[in-house]
Amino acid sequence: MKRMIYLLLVCAMCAVAASAQVVKGDMNGDGNIDVTDLNETVNTLLGIKPLQYVFDHVVKGDMNEDGVIDVTDLNDIVNTILGIKPLQYLEDHEYVDLGLPS
């Protein structure tokens, strides 16, 4: 019985560690969108800063997930800062092999 409880705890910890949630448009990783994020997104759009990635496959600042940063993304960031649009989240899941029999 103790072994089964231990296994369930390990599975629960793996599930929590395997999924991550990130705010769309959050360039500095503080969990919110503000003018600093807008500035970094503009600098990326202008080529001053290189593209950065979240989860190795989503461009930071790309609000509509089309793979590029453009005026549409800037508009969405401004609308989020102004409270017109709610925060949106990216969620990535990594699969963990627990070595359990099928």
Side-chain angles (χ1 to χ4, degrees):
M1 182 68 172
K2 285 183 181 181
R3 186 173 183 194
M4 186 167 212
I5 292 172
Y6 175 75
L7 182 60
L8 289 172
L9 281 171
V10 170
C11 289
M13 289 186 311
C14 288
V16 170
S19 110
Q21 197 174 31
V22 174
V23 174
K24 280 187 179 183
D26 181 14
M27 297 292 280
N28 58 7
D30 66 357
N32 201 3
I33 296 181
D34 54 24
V35 176
T36 304
D37 301 305
L38 179 62
N39 186 44
E40 286 195 37
T41 305
V42 169
N43 286 336
T44 303
L45 175 66
L46 295 175
I48 297 169
K49 290 190 122 193
L51 287 178
Q52 297 176 9
Y53 293 86
V54 181
F55 308 132
D56 298 327
H57 62 277
V58 177
V59 176
K60 273 191 175 182
D62 181 13
M63 297 292 283
N64 58 4
E65 298 181 51
D66 64 355
V68 295
I69 294 178
D70 54 22
V71 177
T72 305
D73 300 310
L74 295 177
N75 188 47
D76 285 348
I77 290 172
V78 169
N79 285 335
T80 303
I81 291 170
L82 295 175
I84 296 169
K85 193 171 190 168
L87 287 178
Q88 297 176 353
Y89 296 90
L90 292 168
E91 199 163 322
D92 191 41
H93 297 281
E94 295 178 28
Y95 295 97
V96 177
D97 182 5
L98 299 176
L100 300 174
S102 300

